[in-house]
Amino acid sequence: MSNGILMEMTIEQVRQFRPEVVVLGSGSVEPHGPVLPYGTDYWQCDAVVRRGVLLANQQNARALMYPTLPVGNNVNFKAFPFACRLRVQTLMQMLLDIFSALEADGIRKIVVYCGHGGNTDAIRATLRAHVDARPPGQGAFVCMASCPPELARPPLVEHPSDHGGESEVSRMLHLREDLVRKDRFGVFPFGKLSVEALSAGGVYFVRPWDRHVPASAGGDVRKATPEKGRRLIEGAAEHLADLLIQLSQAEWTDAFPYE
Ligand SMILES: [Zn+2]
């Protein structure tokens, strides 16, 4: 049986499968404090995409999971050791090459699943570069999806954090408990800005991560549980599956995704 996971399929299964939509996870490998492994974003991203594809295909979608990219954009992590990173332009070019290859394979609908906050801006810029390189109505439709942010807020997550906090520890307790250092659970501080107006809404800058989260993780992780992690992963996978089902069923026209 074909399940839509490219890494697990033969050429005959891929030919029979005739995918309608392809999902590509954009992960990252970088430090996540004393509790979590470097691979945290990769494991989470890969798990959500895999579960989302399986769930969608159980409901008659034809979604194909592309291999999750392990290395992303971490230019703001340079002060920490072995924060794996590609330049912004390299990440963009990799994605553009993959989009072109998928178009050559006849794919018109592509979802990039963003599993790392540092990749978001590069992916958005790539989507614009992709549209710019093709005449109107030509080329694949590409969108970016990620975990709905409201999932990782109270009441489910008691102490939200943007890196290595309760939600990420919970997800990893669910996915790879063997890699979580429970003996190092604690509260990891956030850096304080000297220019307070920079934290106001509507202002953007690239935060040097060693100043923002000096331990390479931030927040109180003591309330992390595998059950919270399961609900976060499954909630994100259901959200992605819904998108894949709708994209898969929608008829392709030159006006796609409009009527
Ligand atoms: Zn992370």
Side-chain angles (χ1 to χ4, degrees), residues 75-92:
V75 292
N76 55 334
F77 270 80
K78 282 182 184 173
F80 295 124
F82 300 101
C84 303
R85 56 190 178 268
L86 298 165
R87 287 181 305 151
V88 173
Q89 292 86 345
T90 311
L91 179 59
M92 288 181 65

Side-chain angles (χ1 to χ4, degrees), residues 11-249:
I11 187 166
E12 286 173 356
Q13 287 174 324
V14 167
R15 282 185 175 136
Q16 280 165 10
F17 191 68
R18 292 182 297 111
E20 189 61 36
V21 51
V22 168
V23 203
L24 156 67
S26 173
S28 178
V29 175
E30 94 262 349
H32 273 77
V35 175
L36 293 175
Y38 270 57
T40 293
D41 286 16
Y42 172 81
W43 297 115
Q44 295 176 150
C45 182
D46 195 67
V48 171
V49 173
R50 184 187 166 83
R51 284 166 206 217
V53 163
L54 294 177
L55 213 53
N57 290 342
Q58 282 162 14
Q59 295 168 73
N60 299 319
R62 292 209 309 277
L64 184 73
M65 179 184 179
Y66 197 89
T68 302
L69 301 179
V71 178
N73 186 260
N74 276 313
V75 292
N76 55 334
F77 270 80
K78 282 182 184 173
F80 295 124
F82 300 101
C84 303
R85 56 190 178 268
L86 298 165
R87 287 181 305 151
V88 173
Q89 292 86 345
T90 311
L91 179 59
M92 288 181 65
Q93 196 55 58
M94 278 179 65
L95 291 169
L96 289 170
D97 286 357
I98 292 168
F99 299 165
S100 295
L102 291 174
E103 283 178 337
D105 285 322
I107 294 296
R108 305 310 297 261
K109 302 161 189 165
I110 300 170
V111 177
V112 181
Y113 192 82
C114 181
H116 169 65
N119 295 346
T120 312
D121 297 325
I123 294 169
R124 285 199 175 134
T126 308
L127 265 49
R128 287 186 179 265
H130 168 74
V131 167
D132 188 37
R134 284 153 186 83
Q138 305 284 304
F141 168 79
V142 190
C143 66
M144 179 178 75
S146 56
C147 178
E150 56 275 14
L151 254 187
R153 291 195 194 121
L156 181 55
V157 176
E158 292 165 71
H159 303 99
S161 162
D162 54 5
H163 186 68
E166 183 183 316
S167 57
E168 287 205 288
V169 173
S170 295
R171 289 190 195 99
M172 287 302 285
L173 282 172
H174 171 56
L175 294 174
R176 291 297 307 266
E177 194 168 6
D178 59 312
L179 300 177
V180 179
R181 289 286 305 267
K182 288 182 229 167
D183 58 316
R184 305 301 303 274
F185 272 25
V187 184
F188 305 105
F190 289 102
K192 275 214 167 65
L193 284 167
S194 57
V195 181
E196 207 188 319
L198 288 174
S199 67
V203 182
Y204 174 78
F205 69 105
V206 177
R207 291 171 294 182
W209 224 244
D210 56 308
R211 303 284 165 180
H212 177 57
V213 280
S216 81
D220 185 346
V221 308
R222 293 172 299 177
K223 294 282 176 66
T225 68
E227 173 58 16
K228 286 181 185 175
R230 186 189 64 76
R231 287 168 63 186
L232 287 164
I233 294 283
E234 285 180 6
E238 282 163 20
H239 190 255
L240 174 62
D242 186 46
L243 174 67
L244 297 177
I245 292 165
Q246 291 192 30
L247 284 176
S248 191
Q249 289 168 353

